[in-house]
PDB file of all heavy atoms in Angstrom:
ATOM      1  N   ILE A   5     165.305 128.658  29.984  1.00  0.00           N
ATOM      2  CA  ILE A   5     166.144 129.851  30.102  1.00  0.00           C
ATOM      3  C   ILE A   5     165.404 131.054  29.500  1.00  0.00           C
ATOM      4  O   ILE A   5     165.550 132.205  30.013  1.00  0.00           O
ATOM      5  CB  ILE A   5     167.510 129.625  29.411  1.00  0.00           C
ATOM      6  CG1 ILE A   5     168.571 130.555  30.017  1.00  0.00           C
ATOM      7  CG2 ILE A   5     167.476 129.814  27.950  1.00  0.00           C
ATOM      8  CD1 ILE A   5     169.164 130.052  31.270  1.00  0.00           C
ATOM      9  N   LYS A   6     164.578 130.863  28.504  1.00  0.00           N
ATOM     10  CA  LYS A   6     163.799 131.983  27.962  1.00  0.00           C
ATOM     11  C   LYS A   6     162.710 132.421  28.944  1.00  0.00           C
ATOM     12  O   LYS A   6     162.446 133.609  29.096  1.00  0.00           O
ATOM     13  CB  LYS A   6     163.133 131.603  26.619  1.00  0.00           C
ATOM     14  CG  LYS A   6     164.088 131.188  25.533  1.00  0.00           C
ATOM     15  CD  LYS A   6     165.158 132.224  25.222  1.00  0.00           C
ATOM     16  CE  LYS A   6     166.011 131.800  24.062  1.00  0.00           C
ATOM     17  NZ  LYS A   6     167.420 131.689  24.369  1.00  0.00           N
ATOM     18  N   MET A   7     162.081 131.496  29.640  1.00  0.00           N
ATOM     19  CA  MET A   7     161.100 131.843  30.660  1.00  0.00           C
ATOM     20  C   MET A   7     161.747 132.583  31.795  1.00  0.00           C
ATOM     21  O   MET A   7     161.158 133.505  32.377  1.00  0.00           O
ATOM     22  CB  MET A   7     160.345 130.634  31.180  1.00  0.00           C
ATOM     23  CG  MET A   7     159.278 130.148  30.274  1.00  0.00           C
ATOM     24  SD  MET A   7     157.988 131.410  29.983  1.00  0.00           S
ATOM     25  CE  MET A   7     158.324 131.875  28.321  1.00  0.00           C
ATOM     26  N   ALA A   8     162.990 132.207  32.125  1.00  0.00           N
ATOM     27  CA  ALA A   8     163.714 132.953  33.181  1.00  0.00           C
ATOM     28  C   ALA A   8     163.957 134.381  32.731  1.00  0.00           C
ATOM     29  O   ALA A   8     163.812 135.319  33.505  1.00  0.00           O
ATOM     30  CB  ALA A   8     165.044 132.262  33.469  1.00  0.00           C
ATOM     31  N   GLY A   9     164.272 134.575  31.430  1.00  0.00           N
ATOM     32  CA  GLY A   9     164.444 135.913  30.889  1.00  0.00           C
ATOM     33  C   GLY A   9     163.160 136.718  30.923  1.00  0.00           C
ATOM     34  O   GLY A   9     163.168 137.920  31.244  1.00  0.00           O
ATOM     35  N   VAL A  10     162.046 136.098  30.571  1.00  0.00           N
ATOM     36  CA  VAL A  10     160.754 136.777  30.637  1.00  0.00           C
ATOM     37  C   VAL A  10     160.391 137.146  32.071  1.00  0.00           C
ATOM     38  O   VAL A  10     159.910 138.250  32.348  1.00  0.00           O
ATOM     39  CB  VAL A  10     159.635 135.914  30.001  1.00  0.00           C
ATOM     40  CG1 VAL A  10     158.257 136.500  30.246  1.00  0.00           C
ATOM     41  CG2 VAL A  10     159.892 135.743  28.511  1.00  0.00           C
ATOM     42  N   PHE A  11     160.671 136.229  32.987  1.00  0.00           N
ATOM     43  CA  PHE A  11     160.438 136.507  34.411  1.00  0.00           C
ATOM     44  C   PHE A  11     161.269 137.706  34.878  1.00  0.00           C
ATOM     45  O   PHE A  11     160.740 138.574  35.558  1.00  0.00           O
ATOM     46  CB  PHE A  11     160.779 135.239  35.250  1.00  0.00           C
ATOM     47  CG  PHE A  11     160.546 135.429  36.708  1.00  0.00           C
ATOM     48  CD1 PHE A  11     159.283 135.255  37.245  1.00  0.00           C
ATOM     49  CD2 PHE A  11     161.567 135.794  37.582  1.00  0.00           C
ATOM     50  CE1 PHE A  11     159.043 135.402  38.600  1.00  0.00           C
ATOM     51  CE2 PHE A  11     161.358 135.951  38.914  1.00  0.00           C
ATOM     52  CZ  PHE A  11     160.088 135.747  39.436  1.00  0.00           C
ATOM     53  N   MET A  12     162.520 137.738  34.483  1.00  0.00           N
ATOM     54  CA  MET A  12     163.378 138.869  34.866  1.00  0.00           C
ATOM     55  C   MET A  12     162.881 140.167  34.265  1.00  0.00           C
ATOM     56  O   MET A  12     162.881 141.191  34.945  1.00  0.00           O
ATOM     57  CB  MET A  12     164.823 138.575  34.412  1.00  0.00           C
ATOM     58  CG  MET A  12     165.510 137.496  35.211  1.00  0.00           C
ATOM     59  SD  MET A  12     167.089 137.019  34.512  1.00  0.00           S
ATOM     60  CE  MET A  12     168.047 138.427  34.963  1.00  0.00           C
ATOM     61  N   THR A  13     162.479 140.139  33.014  1.00  0.00           N
ATOM     62  CA  THR A  13     161.996 141.348  32.380  1.00  0.00           C
ATOM     63  C   THR A  13     160.712 141.863  33.046  1.00  0.00           C
ATOM     64  O   THR A  13     160.604 143.073  33.346  1.00  0.00           O
ATOM     65  CB  THR A  13     161.705 141.094  30.849  1.00  0.00           C
ATOM     66  OG1 THR A  13     162.895 140.657  30.254  1.00  0.00           O
ATOM     67  CG2 THR A  13     161.191 142.344  30.174  1.00  0.00           C
ATOM     68  N   SER A  14     159.774 140.993  33.295  1.00  0.00           N
ATOM     69  CA  SER A  14     158.504 141.429  33.885  1.00  0.00           C
ATOM     70  C   SER A  14     158.728 141.881  35.331  1.00  0.00           C
ATOM     71  O   SER A  14     158.117 142.872  35.775  1.00  0.00           O
ATOM     72  CB  SER A  14     157.445 140.347  33.797  1.00  0.00           C
ATOM     73  OG  SER A  14     157.859 139.164  34.477  1.00  0.00           O
ATOM     74  N   THR A  15     159.578 141.203  36.073  1.00  0.00           N
ATOM     75  CA  THR A  15     159.857 141.620  37.455  1.00  0.00           C
ATOM     76  C   THR A  15     160.582 142.963  37.473  1.00  0.00           C
ATOM     77  O   THR A  15     160.283 143.831  38.283  1.00  0.00           O
ATOM     78  CB  THR A  15     160.733 140.553  38.143  1.00  0.00           C
ATOM     79  OG1 THR A  15     160.067 139.280  38.086  1.00  0.00           O
ATOM     80  CG2 THR A  15     160.969 140.889  39.606  1.00  0.00           C
ATOM     81  N   SER A  16     161.512 143.167  36.555  1.00  0.00           N
ATOM     82  CA  SER A  16     162.211 144.447  36.462  1.00  0.00           C
ATOM     83  C   SER A  16     161.246 145.592  36.105  1.00  0.00           C
ATOM     84  O   SER A  16     161.367 146.687  36.612  1.00  0.00           O
ATOM     85  CB  SER A  16     163.346 144.359  35.453  1.00  0.00           C
ATOM     86  OG  SER A  16     164.328 143.449  35.885  1.00  0.00           O
ATOM     87  N   THR A  17     160.296 145.284  35.225  1.00  0.00           N
ATOM     88  CA  THR A  17     159.300 146.301  34.844  1.00  0.00           C
ATOM     89  C   THR A  17     158.437 146.665  36.026  1.00  0.00           C
ATOM     90  O   THR A  17     158.193 147.851  36.295  1.00  0.00           O
ATOM     91  CB  THR A  17     158.434 145.778  33.657  1.00  0.00           C
ATOM     92  OG1 THR A  17     159.309 145.482  32.557  1.00  0.00           O
ATOM     93  CG2 THR A  17     157.422 146.827  33.243  1.00  0.00           C
ATOM     94  N   VAL A  18     157.973 145.651  36.764  1.00  0.00           N
ATOM     95  CA  VAL A  18     157.166 145.918  37.945  1.00  0.00           C
ATOM     96  C   VAL A  18     157.999 146.679  38.988  1.00  0.00           C
ATOM     97  O   VAL A  18     157.495 147.591  39.634  1.00  0.00           O
ATOM     98  CB  VAL A  18     156.602 144.605  38.514  1.00  0.00           C
ATOM     99  CG1 VAL A  18     155.961 144.801  39.857  1.00  0.00           C
ATOM    100  CG2 VAL A  18     155.614 143.970  37.551  1.00  0.00           C
ATOM    101  N   ALA A  19     159.259 146.309  39.131  1.00  0.00           N
ATOM    102  CA  ALA A  19     160.127 147.028  40.064  1.00  0.00           C
ATOM    103  C   ALA A  19     160.309 148.489  39.644  1.00  0.00           C
ATOM    104  O   ALA A  19     160.306 149.386  40.525  1.00  0.00           O
ATOM    105  CB  ALA A  19     161.480 146.337  40.167  1.00  0.00           C
ATOM    106  N   SER A  20     160.414 148.775  38.386  1.00  0.00           N
ATOM    107  CA  SER A  20     160.572 150.129  37.887  1.00  0.00           C
ATOM    108  C   SER A  20     159.304 150.943  38.176  1.00  0.00           C
ATOM    109  O   SER A  20     159.375 152.088  38.603  1.00  0.00           O
ATOM    110  CB  SER A  20     160.826 150.154  36.389  1.00  0.00           C
ATOM    111  OG  SER A  20     162.050 149.582  36.091  1.00  0.00           O
ATOM    112  N   TYR A  21     158.152 150.372  37.865  1.00  0.00           N
ATOM    113  CA  TYR A  21     156.874 151.081  38.052  1.00  0.00           C
ATOM    114  C   TYR A  21     156.514 151.339  39.512  1.00  0.00           C
ATOM    115  O   TYR A  21     155.999 152.375  39.857  1.00  0.00           O
ATOM    116  CB  TYR A  21     155.737 150.325  37.370  1.00  0.00           C
ATOM    117  CG  TYR A  21     155.752 150.402  35.862  1.00  0.00           C
ATOM    118  CD1 TYR A  21     155.041 149.504  35.116  1.00  0.00           C
ATOM    119  CD2 TYR A  21     156.501 151.359  35.197  1.00  0.00           C
ATOM    120  CE1 TYR A  21     155.042 149.565  33.720  1.00  0.00           C
ATOM    121  CE2 TYR A  21     156.533 151.431  33.819  1.00  0.00           C
ATOM    122  CZ  TYR A  21     155.781 150.523  33.079  1.00  0.00           C
ATOM    123  OH  TYR A  21     155.794 150.557  31.711  1.00  0.00           O
ATOM    124  N   THR A  22     156.775 150.327  40.371  1.00  0.00           N
ATOM    125  CA  THR A  22     156.310 150.422  41.752  1.00  0.00           C
ATOM    126  C   THR A  22     157.379 150.896  42.704  1.00  0.00           C
ATOM    127  O   THR A  22     157.053 151.340  43.788  1.00  0.00           O
ATOM    128  CB  THR A  22     155.808 149.062  42.226  1.00  0.00           C
ATOM    129  OG1 THR A  22     156.878 148.112  42.221  1.00  0.00           O
ATOM    130  CG2 THR A  22     154.670 148.552  41.369  1.00  0.00           C
ATOM    131  N   GLY A  23     158.649 150.726  42.340  1.00  0.00           N
ATOM    132  CA  GLY A  23     159.721 151.144  43.228  1.00  0.00           C
ATOM    133  C   GLY A  23     159.964 150.156  44.386  1.00  0.00           C
ATOM    134  O   GLY A  23     160.593 150.533  45.384  1.00  0.00           O
ATOM    135  N   PHE A  24     159.514 148.909  44.255  1.00  0.00           N
ATOM    136  CA  PHE A  24     159.760 147.940  45.353  1.00  0.00           C
ATOM    137  C   PHE A  24     161.227 147.514  45.420  1.00  0.00           C
ATOM    138  O   PHE A  24     161.647 146.888  46.390  1.00  0.00           O
ATOM    139  CB  PHE A  24     158.806 146.751  45.263  1.00  0.00           C
ATOM    140  CG  PHE A  24     159.232 145.660  44.344  1.00  0.00           C
ATOM    141  CD1 PHE A  24     160.116 144.675  44.778  1.00  0.00           C
ATOM    142  CD2 PHE A  24     158.771 145.585  43.056  1.00  0.00           C
ATOM    143  CE1 PHE A  24     160.513 143.636  43.913  1.00  0.00           C
ATOM    144  CE2 PHE A  24     159.165 144.585  42.184  1.00  0.00           C
ATOM    145  CZ  PHE A  24     160.022 143.610  42.635  1.00  0.00           C
ATOM    146  N   ALA A  25     161.959 147.843  44.369  1.00  0.00           N
ATOM    147  CA  ALA A  25     163.414 147.595  44.348  1.00  0.00           C
ATOM    148  C   ALA A  25     164.054 148.797  43.673  1.00  0.00           C
ATOM    149  O   ALA A  25     163.396 149.539  42.953  1.00  0.00           O
ATOM    150  CB  ALA A  25     163.709 146.322  43.560  1.00  0.00           C
ATOM    151  N   PRO A  26     165.334 149.028  43.948  1.00  0.00           N
ATOM    152  CA  PRO A  26     165.977 150.205  43.343  1.00  0.00           C
ATOM    153  C   PRO A  26     166.107 150.099  41.817  1.00  0.00           C
ATOM    154  O   PRO A  26     166.081 148.985  41.268  1.00  0.00           O
ATOM    155  CB  PRO A  26     167.367 150.223  43.994  1.00  0.00           C
ATOM    156  CG  PRO A  26     167.566 148.894  44.582  1.00  0.00           C
ATOM    157  CD  PRO A  26     166.229 148.265  44.816  1.00  0.00           C
ATOM    158  N   ARG A  27     166.165 151.237  41.173  1.00  0.00           N
ATOM    159  CA  ARG A  27     166.250 151.284  39.724  1.00  0.00           C
ATOM    160  C   ARG A  27     167.442 150.521  39.184  1.00  0.00           C
ATOM    161  O   ARG A  27     167.362 149.903  38.120  1.00  0.00           O
ATOM    162  CB  ARG A  27     166.274 152.738  39.248  1.00  0.00           C
ATOM    163  CG  ARG A  27     164.969 153.451  39.410  1.00  0.00           C
ATOM    164  CD  ARG A  27     164.658 154.238  38.141  1.00  0.00           C
ATOM    165  NE  ARG A  27     163.478 155.048  38.315  1.00  0.00           N
ATOM    166  CZ  ARG A  27     162.273 154.599  38.006  1.00  0.00           C
ATOM    167  NH1 ARG A  27     162.099 153.397  37.606  1.00  0.00           N
ATOM    168  NH2 ARG A  27     161.230 155.387  38.153  1.00  0.00           N
ATOM    169  N   TRP A  28     168.578 150.578  39.858  1.00  0.00           N
ATOM    170  CA  TRP A  28     169.782 149.864  39.367  1.00  0.00           C
ATOM    171  C   TRP A  28     169.529 148.371  39.325  1.00  0.00           C
ATOM    172  O   TRP A  28     170.022 147.682  38.436  1.00  0.00           O
ATOM    173  CB  TRP A  28     171.001 150.208  40.215  1.00  0.00           C
ATOM    174  CG  TRP A  28     170.999 149.667  41.606  1.00  0.00           C
ATOM    175  CD1 TRP A  28     170.588 150.338  42.740  1.00  0.00           C
ATOM    176  CD2 TRP A  28     171.422 148.368  42.021  1.00  0.00           C
ATOM    177  NE1 TRP A  28     170.711 149.507  43.830  1.00  0.00           N
ATOM    178  CE2 TRP A  28     171.224 148.304  43.428  1.00  0.00           C
ATOM    179  CE3 TRP A  28     171.910 147.247  41.355  1.00  0.00           C
ATOM    180  CZ2 TRP A  28     171.491 147.152  44.151  1.00  0.00           C
ATOM    181  CZ3 TRP A  28     172.221 146.115  42.111  1.00  0.00           C
ATOM    182  CH2 TRP A  28     172.007 146.079  43.491  1.00  0.00           C
ATOM    183  N   LEU A  29     168.721 147.852  40.232  1.00  0.00           N
ATOM    184  CA  LEU A  29     168.440 146.422  40.256  1.00  0.00           C
ATOM    185  C   LEU A  29     167.474 146.066  39.102  1.00  0.00           C
ATOM    186  O   LEU A  29     167.646 145.015  38.463  1.00  0.00           O
ATOM    187  CB  LEU A  29     167.814 146.040  41.592  1.00  0.00           C
ATOM    188  CG  LEU A  29     167.904 144.611  42.029  1.00  0.00           C
ATOM    189  CD1 LEU A  29     169.296 144.037  41.897  1.00  0.00           C
ATOM    190  CD2 LEU A  29     167.440 144.478  43.483  1.00  0.00           C
ATOM    191  N   ALA A  30     166.545 146.950  38.808  1.00  0.00           N
ATOM    192  CA  ALA A  30     165.656 146.733  37.665  1.00  0.00           C
ATOM    193  C   ALA A  30     166.458 146.797  36.366  1.00  0.00           C
ATOM    194  O   ALA A  30     166.283 145.959  35.471  1.00  0.00           O
ATOM    195  CB  ALA A  30     164.522 147.772  37.668  1.00  0.00           C
ATOM    196  N   PHE A  31     167.343 147.767  36.252  1.00  0.00           N
ATOM    197  CA  PHE A  31     168.175 147.910  35.035  1.00  0.00           C
ATOM    198  C   PHE A  31     169.052 146.689  34.873  1.00  0.00           C
ATOM    199  O   PHE A  31     169.190 146.154  33.772  1.00  0.00           O
ATOM    200  CB  PHE A  31     169.058 149.173  35.145  1.00  0.00           C
ATOM    201  CG  PHE A  31     169.887 149.386  33.936  1.00  0.00           C
ATOM    202  CD1 PHE A  31     169.348 149.800  32.711  1.00  0.00           C
ATOM    203  CD2 PHE A  31     171.262 149.133  33.967  1.00  0.00           C
ATOM    204  CE1 PHE A  31     170.142 149.956  31.602  1.00  0.00           C
ATOM    205  CE2 PHE A  31     172.056 149.305  32.881  1.00  0.00           C
ATOM    206  CZ  PHE A  31     171.503 149.721  31.686  1.00  0.00           C
ATOM    207  N   LEU A  32     169.640 146.203  35.973  1.00  0.00           N
ATOM    208  CA  LEU A  32     170.455 144.974  35.905  1.00  0.00           C
ATOM    209  C   LEU A  32     169.614 143.812  35.427  1.00  0.00           C
ATOM    210  O   LEU A  32     170.069 142.992  34.610  1.00  0.00           O
ATOM    211  CB  LEU A  32     171.058 144.692  37.293  1.00  0.00           C
ATOM    212  CG  LEU A  32     171.888 143.432  37.421  1.00  0.00           C
ATOM    213  CD1 LEU A  32     173.163 143.581  36.569  1.00  0.00           C
ATOM    214  CD2 LEU A  32     172.224 143.140  38.857  1.00  0.00           C
ATOM    215  N   GLY A  33     168.382 143.732  35.892  1.00  0.00           N
ATOM    216  CA  GLY A  33     167.476 142.658  35.433  1.00  0.00           C
ATOM    217  C   GLY A  33     167.212 142.724  33.955  1.00  0.00           C
ATOM    218  O   GLY A  33     167.185 141.721  33.256  1.00  0.00           O
ATOM    219  N   TYR A  34     167.026 143.933  33.414  1.00  0.00           N
ATOM    220  CA  TYR A  34     166.813 144.084  31.967  1.00  0.00           C
ATOM    221  C   TYR A  34     168.034 143.638  31.160  1.00  0.00           C
ATOM    222  O   TYR A  34     167.926 142.894  30.194  1.00  0.00           O
ATOM    223  CB  TYR A  34     166.537 145.551  31.586  1.00  0.00           C
ATOM    224  CG  TYR A  34     165.159 146.043  31.956  1.00  0.00           C
ATOM    225  CD1 TYR A  34     164.983 147.223  32.641  1.00  0.00           C
ATOM    226  CD2 TYR A  34     164.030 145.328  31.625  1.00  0.00           C
ATOM    227  CE1 TYR A  34     163.720 147.713  32.959  1.00  0.00           C
ATOM    228  CE2 TYR A  34     162.755 145.780  31.946  1.00  0.00           C
ATOM    229  CZ  TYR A  34     162.604 146.982  32.623  1.00  0.00           C
ATOM    230  OH  TYR A  34     161.378 147.422  32.928  1.00  0.00           O
ATOM    231  N   VAL A  35     169.204 144.044  31.606  1.00  0.00           N
ATOM    232  CA  VAL A  35     170.462 143.681  30.893  1.00  0.00           C
ATOM    233  C   VAL A  35     170.677 142.172  30.931  1.00  0.00           C
ATOM    234  O   VAL A  35     170.948 141.537  29.915  1.00  0.00           O
ATOM    235  CB  VAL A  35     171.663 144.446  31.499  1.00  0.00           C
ATOM    236  CG1 VAL A  35     172.965 143.896  30.931  1.00  0.00           C
ATOM    237  CG2 VAL A  35     171.548 145.933  31.243  1.00  0.00           C
ATOM    238  N   LEU A  36     170.521 141.595  32.115  1.00  0.00           N
ATOM    239  CA  LEU A  36     170.726 140.144  32.263  1.00  0.00           C
ATOM    240  C   LEU A  36     169.693 139.342  31.516  1.00  0.00           C
ATOM    241  O   LEU A  36     169.986 138.274  30.972  1.00  0.00           O
ATOM    242  CB  LEU A  36     170.814 139.781  33.739  1.00  0.00           C
ATOM    243  CG  LEU A  36     171.973 140.336  34.492  1.00  0.00           C
ATOM    244  CD1 LEU A  36     171.909 139.948  35.992  1.00  0.00           C
ATOM    245  CD2 LEU A  36     173.310 139.931  33.881  1.00  0.00           C
ATOM    246  N   SER A  37     168.442 139.869  31.491  1.00  0.00           N
ATOM    247  CA  SER A  37     167.407 139.128  30.741  1.00  0.00           C
ATOM    248  C   SER A  37     167.698 139.147  29.244  1.00  0.00           C
ATOM    249  O   SER A  37     167.382 138.142  28.569  1.00  0.00           O
ATOM    250  CB  SER A  37     166.008 139.711  31.041  1.00  0.00           C
ATOM    251  OG  SER A  37     165.870 140.977  30.471  1.00  0.00           O
ATOM    252  N   LEU A  38     168.273 140.213  28.758  1.00  0.00           N
ATOM    253  CA  LEU A  38     168.661 140.204  27.316  1.00  0.00           C
ATOM    254  C   LEU A  38     169.732 139.157  27.043  1.00  0.00           C
ATOM    255  O   LEU A  38     169.709 138.518  25.991  1.00  0.00           O
ATOM    256  CB  LEU A  38     169.171 141.590  26.916  1.00  0.00           C
ATOM    257  CG  LEU A  38     168.110 142.677  26.820  1.00  0.00           C
ATOM    258  CD1 LEU A  38     168.764 144.030  26.562  1.00  0.00           C
ATOM    259  CD2 LEU A  38     167.072 142.332  25.739  1.00  0.00           C
ATOM    260  N   ILE A  39     170.638 138.976  28.003  1.00  0.00           N
ATOM    261  CA  ILE A  39     171.644 137.922  27.828  1.00  0.00           C
ATOM    262  C   ILE A  39     170.957 136.567  27.763  1.00  0.00           C
ATOM    263  O   ILE A  39     171.291 135.727  26.920  1.00  0.00           O
ATOM    264  CB  ILE A  39     172.658 137.976  29.001  1.00  0.00           C
ATOM    265  CG1 ILE A  39     173.547 139.228  28.859  1.00  0.00           C
ATOM    266  CG2 ILE A  39     173.529 136.695  29.034  1.00  0.00           C
ATOM    267  CD1 ILE A  39     174.460 139.454  30.069  1.00  0.00           C
ATOM    268  N   LEU A  40     169.975 136.344  28.635  1.00  0.00           N
ATOM    269  CA  LEU A  40     169.250 135.049  28.626  1.00  0.00           C
ATOM    270  C   LEU A  40     168.425 134.885  27.362  1.00  0.00           C
ATOM    271  O   LEU A  40     168.390 133.807  26.767  1.00  0.00           O
ATOM    272  CB  LEU A  40     168.368 134.935  29.855  1.00  0.00           C
ATOM    273  CG  LEU A  40     169.068 134.798  31.182  1.00  0.00           C
ATOM    274  CD1 LEU A  40     168.061 134.622  32.296  1.00  0.00           C
ATOM    275  CD2 LEU A  40     170.052 133.640  31.178  1.00  0.00           C
TER     276      LEU A  40
END
């Protein structure tokens, strides 16, 4: 579950930097990864 959280955090960061996904989806990833 911790690796899932790290995966979500790094994917959200890459999404924020590159814009391959909307910002709200990256933000959601950050929030949910903190829960994990």
Side-chain angles (χ1 to χ4, degrees):
I5 205 84
K6 300 304 185 240
M7 280 301 107
V10 170
F11 181 84
M12 290 172 73
T13 301
S14 59
T15 304
S16 295
T17 302
V18 170
S20 295
Y21 287 163
T22 63
F24 84 85
R27 289 224 185 271
W28 68 265
L29 202 49
F31 181 73
L32 179 66
Y34 286 131
V35 170
L36 295 178
S37 69
L38 288 174
I39 291 172
L40 292 183

